[in-house]
Amino acid sequence: MTDVKSWVASANGDTDFPIQNLPYGVFDDGRGARMGVAIGDQILDLGAVDHGLDAALFVEPAWNRVMEAGPQLWADLRARLIALLSDEAHRAAVEPHLVAQSQAKMLMPFRVMEYTDFYAGKYHAMNVGTIFRGAENALPANWLSIPIGYNGRASSVVVSGTPVTRPWGQVKGPNDDLPRFAPSARFDIELEFGAIVGQPSQGMISVAQADEMIFGYVLLNDWSARDIQAWEYVPLGPFQGKATATTISPWIVTRAALAPFRIATPERERPLLPYLSEPGPMNYDIALEVALQPENGAETVISQTNTRELYYSAAQQLAHHTSSGCAMRVGDLLGSGTISGVTPDSRGSLLEMSWSGKEPLELPDGTTRSFIEDGDTLTLRGAAQGNGYRIGFGDCAGQILPAADLPDWAK
């Protein structure tokens, strides 16, 4: 597969979307929302091209029906697309159904049924724990045994490019006697890897079964209001501080496309219980970065890390989620939790990068950031490097807008 080329010229050069990738999305070029696959700088309109599969699966502008159809259909679709886009014999029939990505707006690629956010990055957990509890109590006692998570809001999930309005909430400073209602002053990002559940479950499943249920992956930014979260999270955990928005990249990169980049999860510091045992390499080698662009300013990459830093794989997270008997549904989304590396330049949140504001980042224009300011655009990027090709996800970006005016009845 590494030597296969496409007759779409832009798919054979410097691109996130070679024929080895073929990620799935939903786009609108002014003629309505439709399902498509990225190839180079183009999008193939799957509702218009003759791919030999059930046309009814490609009518609704969302990938849920394809997910429901199951792994054999997923494999058949991928094989057919590779043939259509690599064999010159199909060019005349397929080429009229290509749309330039520059002429299309990307939409949500699937209907999110439920959203769960995990806390599977060890260095992130250690950094946050050190900031708030000291190095001696950095990791919670359960962290090395269990993929910690919480159930979030599916309604908060938006596609890349959607503006995010700074939230209001209850905040209480260390010197305040009582909380006040104010816009979040410590608004932040979380660099995460999102797994999309493509098959339902009933009852407990193994890690191997969980892996086979995953349809594909996206980059995910779980925007976080740290000051709102700090006041509310005891005793039940995240709530409004995490409910503003969760941004995902627009293209679903399939498990098949990422298969060559499988790696083992990190060495265990203590044995995991048998139900979390892995049948083989379950993690991925995907380079990640975070960029910050002030309004009317230049973009600066402020962090670089890798999905290899995740202590628990997406399959382990999914298997654990079902261990209570919790049923999973097609279209469920699992966020990995913030992915940070061991060095300061590989931290996946501004909370860590600025060490809770004590060490502000200095940007090239001389301004500094402890947390996100109005007008800032934060962009997550990720790609796995193959032999002569790159598997990318597309940008996962959002600009922060000022907090909305408070209605009189809330003042």
Side-chain angles (χ1 to χ4, degrees):
M1 181 66 184
T2 60
D3 296 330
V4 177
K5 300 294 184 181
S6 174
W7 50 258
V8 179
S10 61
N12 302 320
D14 182 19
T15 178
D16 278 349
F17 308 120
I19 198 166
Q20 289 81 6
N21 191 349
L22 301 180
Y24 302 140
V26 172
F27 71 100
D28 187 349
D29 62 349
R31 295 180 292 165
R34 309 192 302 285
M35 298 169 69
V37 58
I39 179 71
D41 61 6
Q42 304 291 305
I43 303 171
L44 177 60
D45 185 344
L46 288 181
V49 72
D50 181 9
H51 42 61
L53 301 175
D54 184 358
L57 297 174
F58 303 92
V59 174
E60 182 184 12
W63 280 85
N64 296 65
R65 287 187 181 178
V66 171
M67 290 192 271
E68 289 170 357
Q72 185 58 59
L73 184 281
W74 307 347
D76 292 344
L77 174 60
R78 180 171 174 81
R80 183 60 176 160
L81 290 173
I82 291 171
L84 290 175
L85 292 166
S86 63
D87 188 342
E88 279 281 351
H90 297 294
R91 182 169 184 167
V94 174
E95 196 165 30
H97 305 299
L98 292 176
V99 175
Q101 290 194 36
S102 61
Q103 301 301 311
K105 178 181 180 181
M106 299 307 299
L107 307 176
M108 276 292 295
F110 69 106
R111 295 189 310 278
V112 181
M113 302 306 294
E114 306 283 355
Y115 167 53
T116 304
D117 192 37
F118 283 87
Y119 193 47
K122 182 185 176 187
Y123 293 114
H124 170 69
M126 290 181 66
N127 287 337
V128 172
T130 299
I131 289 170
F132 292 113
R133 296 185 296 275
E136 65 282 0
N137 296 307
L139 283 182
N142 60 357
W143 199 92
L144 293 172
S145 294
I146 185 174
I148 298 172
Y150 71 94
N151 289 311
R153 290 285 301 174
S155 63
S156 75
V157 182
V158 297
V159 73
S160 176
T162 305
V164 176
T165 300
R166 184 178 298 274
W168 287 82
Q170 284 199 24
V171 296
K172 180 182 179 298
N175 299 319
D176 295 336
D177 293 328
L178 293 172
R180 54 194 172 84
F181 198 61
S184 172
R186 292 165 65 89
F187 202 54
D188 199 0
I189 62 160
E190 290 192 341
L191 168 59
E192 303 193 25
F193 192 48
I196 301 166
V197 177
Q199 288 286 276
S201 70
Q202 291 291 334
M204 186 176 181
I205 62 173
S206 68
V207 173
Q209 290 170 318
D211 183 60
E212 293 176 355
M213 285 171 55
I214 294 174
F215 179 64
Y217 295 89
V218 292
L219 302 181
L220 185 150
N221 182 357
D222 193 31
W223 304 90
S224 299
R226 303 295 184 185
D227 40 5
I228 296 172
Q229 183 180 357
W231 170 237
E232 74 180 3
Y233 84 102
V234 177
L236 295 182
F239 185 44
Q240 293 295 83
K242 297 275 196 169
T244 301
T246 298
T247 301
I248 63 171
S249 51
W251 296 105
I252 303 171
V253 177
T254 63
R255 186 162 50 89
L258 290 175
F261 309 99
R262 292 266 195 176
I263 59 172
T265 46
E267 183 178 351
R268 302 302 171 187
E269 296 189 26
R270 65 177 180 232
L272 296 177
L273 295 173
Y275 80 98
L276 288 173
S277 63
E278 299 164 289
M282 292 282 106
N283 213 350
Y284 293 100
D285 180 5
I286 303 170
L288 304 170
E289 69 176 34
V290 179
L292 187 154
Q293 182 178 6
E295 190 170 22
N296 301 319
E299 181 183 275
T300 302
V301 174
I302 57 176
S303 177
Q304 293 179 305
T305 185
N306 194 293
T307 52
R308 65 168 63 244
E309 304 292 355
L310 288 171
Y311 193 81
Y312 297 102
S313 68
Q316 286 178 307
Q317 295 164 36
L318 178 53
H320 176 67
H321 208 328
T322 70
S323 63
S324 64
C326 176
M328 306 302 295
R329 298 193 288 179
V330 172
D332 283 354
L333 175 64
L334 307 183
S336 64
T338 306
I339 305 171
S340 296
V342 67
T343 58
D345 61 356
S346 63
R347 294 168 179 167
S349 68
L350 283 162
L351 174 67
E352 299 166 82
M353 296 180 208
S354 71
W355 212 248
S356 194
K358 295 177 182 177
E359 302 171 8
L361 299 177
E362 184 170 345
L363 302 180
D365 63 3
T367 62
T368 60
R369 291 291 187 281
S370 293
F371 293 94
I372 304 170
E373 295 188 4
D374 292 346
D376 287 349
T377 296
L378 277 296
T379 303
L380 315 184
R381 298 187 178 97
Q385 186 61 55
N387 183 16
Y389 68 93
R390 183 175 70 242
I391 303 295
F393 291 76
D395 288 357
C396 177
Q399 184 181 39
I400 302 305
L401 305 182
D405 292 336
L406 196 64
D408 289 339
W409 52 261
K411 294 178 181 177

